[in-house]
Amino acid sequence: MAKVAPEDFDIDQVRAAYIGKQGQRSDGLYPVEHDPIRRHEHMCYGTNPLFLDPEYGRESQYGETIAPGVMADYFAGDGTWPSWNGGHELPTRGDAELDVPTIGDRAINLSTTWEFLKPIRVGDRLWSQPSVADVFVKPIRLDPNAIWVVNETRFYNQDDELVAISRNTGLRHREPAEVEANPDPLGLQEK
């Protein structure tokens, strides 16, 4: 997120410019496969036969093995290996055009929530698209002008059916010295 001077920050303009703004579509590098699901379940000590047992999956209401919803991000991802840029650097993540300007540069990640809307089936090809869902100013103990940003990523299958939504809430605040020098540069505490 880009830090801007408080005199250049207008929450109404930022909200108008960013809420609903969508980033680039990202197509998953790999299809949904049983083996990564199995490895995920074993790593998490999962025992759900719907994820682990193809026979059980075939006899279930889904007719096949499905993936845990939290794996949507993995299967919609660009894969980190091998490196596609010719070097050994990991690919960069995020869309620069979704970087919401804030008056602080100290970040706190607060929460991530998920909605799972349709089963993710073995063989599906997932894609995702990030967006900015909300931006607002809400005081915290460290900074009465903390800027909160809610990012949302929607996950779709090859038929463009929405299968999951992830929302991440974070905030940016100013350094203590900045707050001490100018506690309320946005003039919001008097409203």
Side-chain angles (χ1 to χ4, degrees):
M1 292 185 197
K3 181 177 177 178
V4 298
E7 59 271 12
D8 296 331
F9 185 85
D10 181 320
I11 188 62
D12 295 325
Q13 287 179 355
V14 169
R15 289 175 56 82
Y18 284 90
I19 293 177
K21 188 172 189 175
Q22 294 184 328
Q24 297 295 314
R25 171 183 167 145
S26 173
D27 292 292
L29 183 59
Y30 305 111
V32 177
E33 298 171 315
H34 182 75
D35 197 50
I37 297 168
R38 179 192 60 77
R39 288 192 317 268
H40 174 272
E41 282 298 289
H42 289 172
M43 177 184 69
C44 297
Y45 300 101
T47 59
N48 188 334
L50 191 54
F51 305 141
L52 292 170
D53 184 348
E55 177 76 25
Y56 184 90
R58 278 191 291 281
E59 295 179 13
S60 75
Q61 65 180 337
Y62 305 108
E64 60 195 311
T65 303
I66 63 171
V70 296
M71 291 191 76
D73 193 39
Y74 172 80
F75 287 116
D78 57 6
T80 56
W81 305 107
S83 174
W84 300 111
N85 60 10
H88 297 288
E89 304 84 31
L90 292 174
T92 58
R93 295 188 57 98
D95 274 317
E97 68 259 17
L98 297 181
D99 287 345
V100 176
T102 62
I103 62 171
D105 60 2
R106 300 295 183 245
I108 301 175
N109 190 42
L110 299 171
S111 68
T112 299
T113 61
W114 283 89
E115 284 181 69
F116 304 113
L117 306 166
K118 286 191 169 278
I120 299 169
R121 302 172 185 281
V122 169
D124 279 353
R125 296 298 305 233
L126 300 187
W127 63 274
S128 64
Q129 187 164 34
S131 66
V132 178
D134 202 1
V135 181
F136 54 94
V137 180
K138 182 178 176 183
I140 62 172
R141 185 173 47 90
L142 297 171
D143 186 353
N145 288 167
I147 312 298
W148 295 55
V149 179
V150 180
N151 292 296
E152 181 176 278
T153 302
R154 292 176 170 255
F155 298 88
Y156 300 86
N157 65 19
Q158 67 283 348
D159 298 321
D160 296 333
E161 297 172 314
L162 182 62
V163 298
I165 301 170
S166 172
R167 288 183 192 88
N168 188 76
T169 303
L171 67 83
R172 292 277 175 141
H173 66 88
R174 297 171 293 150
E175 292 185 39
E178 290 176 276
V179 174
E180 187 177 324
N182 190 356
D184 187 22
L186 303 180
L188 299 173
Q189 301 310 305
E190 56 204 42
K191 289 183 180 180

